Amino acid sequence: MEPALDLSVLKSGMLFRNLSDEEIETVIETMSPHRSKYQKRAVVARDGDLFPEIGILLSGSVHLAHVDSNGNSNLMDVLYTGDTLGELNAVGRYRLHISVTAAEPTEILFLSVDQLLRKNVLTAPTQIRFLQNLTLAMAQKAQKLTCKLEDSTRRSTRERLQDYLSGQYHRTKSRTFSIPLNRQDLADFLFVDRSAMSNELCKMRDEGLLRFDKSRFELLVEMPITDDEPDPNEEK
């Protein structure tokens, strides 16, 4: 018998915001819920797969990557506990254009939205509020992809590093933090050459902007910090 769901994990994301524990359980029951566990480096889904359900990370983390025709891997995103996966694919019935791999032991809750979207069972106010949250969650993902596309087409390696490290600073509320990526993963995520990125990090260190040791970074006071753009849909 599976342990009870940790509803606090579900409530930390957009999909179930402003819903009570009872309302969350009621909505989930209509969405054919099931859980799957993955070991580190296990493939959750492959490029080209159908992905008919929304996934919610109950624990662990996953890497979303795209491999081009030359075999080059581009790390598109890293998702953590509480994050959601596959909203666009589940709602639109689109095939994946990325692969999903567990970066550590991970458990995912899968929910089918077909019952709510296509089988005419949308009757309860709670279900309507869930779909409102789903719409906002999809808008957030689209905005995030737009920002990443802009960064990949027009910013220098230093600017991409600065933006990424600034994002970690805003997330941790500290100038000292560890990032969840190794050097190759970071280069893939930023769409830059690893050697060029490492050289740029050394230049930034020599200029007194930061210190680093493997995945641990300290942003010094001279380091420019990119402003954090608030999400208007996040609760204050």
Side-chain angles (χ1 to χ4, degrees):
M1 183 175 180
E2 289 184 325
L5 280 173
D6 182 356
L7 297 184
S8 65
V9 173
L10 303 186
K11 293 167 77 172
S12 67
M14 177 64 73
L15 287 182
F16 296 100
R17 74 169 187 171
N18 299 326
L19 297 180
S20 67
D21 289 359
E22 182 178 357
E23 288 172 329
I24 292 173
E25 291 171 347
T26 299
V27 171
I28 287 177
E29 286 174 2
T30 68
M31 301 175 74
S32 304
H34 62 96
R35 296 187 239 178
S36 295
K37 293 183 178 180
Y38 303 89
Q39 297 301 312
K40 183 176 181 180
R41 298 189 181 89
V43 176
V44 177
R46 291 179 171 82
D47 190 339
D49 285 351
L50 289 172
F51 203 83
E53 300 167 310
I54 294 174
I56 304 174
L57 273 69
L58 301 177
S59 63
S61 60
V62 298
H63 285 184
L64 311 184
H66 177 262
V67 180
D68 64 24
S69 58
N70 295 319
N72 300 310
S73 177
N74 296 309
L75 183 61
M76 304 299 295
D77 206 354
V78 183
L79 303 182
Y80 304 95
T81 300
D83 286 339
T84 53
L85 168 68
E87 299 98 321
L88 299 176
N89 307 92
V91 172
R93 290 181 171 174
Y94 302 119
R95 292 184 182 273
L96 289 172
H97 288 273
I98 54 170
S99 61
V100 184
T101 306
E104 59 184 308
T106 298
E107 183 177 15
I108 301 177
L109 170 68
F110 292 99
L111 302 173
S112 172
V113 294
D114 267 3
Q115 286 287 100
L116 300 182
L117 292 176
R118 300 186 175 92
K119 297 188 178 179
N120 300 317
V121 298
L122 185 60
T123 57
T126 301
Q127 294 172 334
I128 295 173
R129 285 159 55 202
F130 171 82
L131 289 184
Q132 289 173 333
N133 288 343
L134 175 58
T135 301
L136 291 176
M138 292 173 63
Q140 284 183 326
K141 288 293 178 74
Q143 173 69 3
K144 189 173 184 179
L145 288 172
T146 299
C147 291
K148 187 169 181 62
L149 178 61
E150 290 176 350
D151 283 349
S152 69
T153 57
R154 62 179 173 80
R155 300 182 70 82
S156 68
T157 297
R158 175 169 293 208
E159 287 174 317
R160 295 185 198 185
L161 281 167
Q162 179 180 314
D163 282 356
Y164 176 81
L165 295 173
S166 294
Q168 297 300 305
Y169 162 77
H170 291 302
R171 183 180 65 84
T172 62
K173 310 300 182 185
S174 172
R175 284 183 174 268
T176 301
F177 49 79
S178 293
I179 66 172
L181 305 174
N182 60 34
R183 287 290 186 272
Q184 186 60 60
D185 287 340
L186 180 58
D188 291 343
F189 183 72
L190 298 178
F191 297 161
V192 298
D193 177 76
R194 176 178 175 176
S195 295
M197 183 194 72
S198 295
N199 288 338
E200 196 62 50
L201 281 173
C202 290
K203 289 179 183 177
M204 295 170 75
R205 178 197 59 198
D206 295 344
E207 292 172 18
L209 301 181
L210 52 76
R211 299 190 186 102
F212 59 85
D213 180 22
K214 296 182 179 178
S215 63
R216 189 164 181 81
F217 285 80
E218 179 184 359
L219 307 186
L220 303 179
V221 294
E222 292 82 2
M223 172 76 175
I225 302 294
T226 303
D227 290 338
D228 186 28
E229 181 179 354
D231 187 332
N233 298 299
E234 293 288 352
E235 295 181 322
K236 306 300 182 183

